[in-house]
Amino acid sequence: MRRCNQCIVERMDSPVPLIPQLAAHLVAAGGKRLRPLLTLAAAKLCGYPGTAEGGTRHVALAACVEFIHTATLLHDDVVDESQLRRGLASANAVFGNKASVLVGDFLFARAFQLMTADGSLRVLEILSRASATIAEGEVLQMATQNDLGTSVERYLEVIHGKTAALFEAACRVGAVVAERPQLEEDALAAYGTNLGMAFQLVDDALDYAADQAELGKTVGDDFREGKITLPVLTAYAAGKEEERLFWRRVIEENRQDENDLEQALDLIGSTGAIAATLDQASAYADRAARALAVFPDSPLRRLLADVASYTVSRGR
């Protein structure tokens, strides 16, 4: 991870001053670096030699994965008009929307430079497909916004696109660089997909259950934006007619008063929507851990299984 972070900082450099300035703001905000960590761990689990033995592809591709993720965050914060990211002012709040979009484009370009430098068409296929799927997921989320008629299946399709697809790709390329058989590649892809689904479900639950310091962004952002998430769908389905009228006003009609978020939190709490969402996340986390069964037992395999468990524990 130290080598990966070094690669990230080096590749964020540019003679255009605003780019490293905005990049430094992102680096200072921290972040879990979970996606690049998955690439490094997957490669190691598959026996890829570490940097001490001369293997460096996994480090560059882990940085590539983080660039794709960060680029999407920059664009998302502009689309969502977010003011906080990882507990600090978002890049668009500090530098403006234009700079955030353009630096996001720069990071996408850097990601593709790293892909082509790797030289593997298979890696390029995996990561470019994930990039397209992320964009499709975000557009699909925009299409379902303010629509309480959205099915749970469509919601799951959204979070698979916007989140799980990159988790899957991050894990899959670890097996590819290690030149492992299709069985192991598919197992790691399944692990990543299910982990990503669990991760996003917990994030959606936390938007209605966490405090702002814990969440790292403004609590209730999804509510104010009219995003359709599982807590809302669950509360709406379980609600009485009066409660459904409330949800239609604040989500579909986007007419919200000062105290509506508090009422939404009460309704989500009283209908058990958070518990139902976390139960769904737990099911995905269990599938992620089971997908690793094709690998021999090892501390690293157990650690990856623990990552899935920890992902759900954030919401408990």
Side-chain angles (χ1 to χ4, degrees), residues 13 33 35 40 57 59-61 64 67 75 139 170 176 184 210 217 227 238 263 265 309:
D13 195 21
R33 293 278 198 271
R35 293 155 188 84
L40 298 174
R57 291 178 65 194
V59 172
L61 291 174
C64 173
F67 280 145
H75 290 165
V139 173
V176 171
E184 293 183 15
K217 62 180 183 179
K227 286 184 179 177
Q263 184 175 351
L265 295 175
S309 300

Side-chain angles (χ1 to χ4, degrees), residues 274-307:
I274 296 299
T277 301
L278 294 178
D279 286 346
Q280 182 87 291
S282 293
Y284 278 110
D286 289 344
R287 287 178 213 156
R290 288 198 302 270
L292 299 172
V294 303
F295 297 97
D297 183 42
S298 68
L300 185 55
R301 194 187 96 171
R302 292 193 294 272
L303 185 146
L304 285 169
D306 286 345
V307 168

Side-chain angles (χ1 to χ4, degrees), residues 238-314:
K240 300 174 183 176
E241 183 55 30
E242 181 181 350
E243 295 164 349
R244 290 189 174 200
L245 287 172
F246 165 81
W247 286 116
R248 287 196 285 268
R249 173 175 65 82
V250 297
I251 298 296
E252 291 196 331
E253 300 171 19
N254 201 28
R255 293 189 294 112
Q256 296 182 6
D257 299 328
E258 184 178 347
N259 297 322
D260 283 341
L261 175 58
E262 184 175 348
Q263 184 175 351
L265 295 175
D266 288 341
L267 291 176
I268 282 177
S270 65
T271 55
I274 296 299
T277 301
L278 294 178
D279 286 346
Q280 182 87 291
S282 293
Y284 278 110
D286 289 344
R287 287 178 213 156
R290 288 198 302 270
L292 299 172
V294 303
F295 297 97
D297 183 42
S298 68
L300 185 55
R301 194 187 96 171
R302 292 193 294 272
L303 185 146
L304 285 169
D306 286 345
V307 168
S309 300
Y310 169 73
T311 293
V312 178
S313 72
R314 295 182 305 136

Side-chain angles (χ1 to χ4, degrees), residues 93-282:
V94 176
F95 297 94
N97 287 340
K98 293 179 181 178
S100 291
V101 169
L102 293 173
V103 174
D105 292 344
F106 171 83
L107 294 180
F108 265 128
R110 277 287 192 252
F112 278 86
Q113 285 179 321
L114 286 164
M115 289 181 224
T116 54
D118 180 74
S120 166
L121 285 177
R122 179 74 176 126
V123 165
L124 181 60
E125 176 198 0
I126 292 166
L127 292 175
S128 60
R129 184 177 65 237
S131 299
T133 302
I134 293 167
E136 289 171 341
E138 293 291 349
V139 173
L140 185 57
Q141 179 173 259
M142 186 174 64
T144 61
Q145 195 161 316
N146 305 109
D147 183 6
L148 288 167
T150 302
S151 66
V152 172
E153 291 73 22
R154 180 52 61 93
Y155 160 76
L156 294 174
E157 186 182 347
V158 168
I159 67 172
H160 175 269
K162 62 177 281 189
T163 301
L166 188 57
F167 276 74
E168 174 191 347
C171 293
R172 190 183 287 275
V173 295
V176 171
V177 298
E179 300 180 350
R180 300 306 299 165
Q182 193 68 42
L183 176 67
E184 293 183 15
E185 181 184 324
D186 290 344
L188 281 167
Y191 168 80
T193 297
N194 286 290
L195 177 63
M197 296 294 288
F199 185 92
Q200 189 59 55
L201 281 160
V202 172
D203 258 18
D204 290 349
L206 287 174
D207 198 71
Y208 289 94
D211 61 49
Q212 190 161 301
E214 176 187 355
L215 190 58
K217 62 180 183 179
T218 310
V219 170
D221 272 352
D222 290 352
F223 173 76
R224 283 181 281 270
E225 293 159 18
K227 286 184 179 177
I228 302 301
T229 61
L230 191 57
V232 170
L233 290 176
T234 302
Y236 180 70
K240 300 174 183 176
E241 183 55 30
E242 181 181 350
E243 295 164 349
R244 290 189 174 200
L245 287 172
F246 165 81
W247 286 116
R248 287 196 285 268
R249 173 175 65 82
V250 297
I251 298 296
E252 291 196 331
E253 300 171 19
N254 201 28
R255 293 189 294 112
Q256 296 182 6
D257 299 328
E258 184 178 347
N259 297 322
D260 283 341
L261 175 58
E262 184 175 348
Q263 184 175 351
L265 295 175
D266 288 341
L267 291 176
I268 282 177
S270 65
T271 55
I274 296 299
T277 301
L278 294 178
D279 286 346
Q280 182 87 291
S282 293

Side-chain angles (χ1 to χ4, degrees), residues 20-30 88-91 94-95:
Q21 287 172 16
L22 195 150
H25 177 81
L26 294 172
V27 171
L88 298 176
S90 61
V94 176
F95 297 94

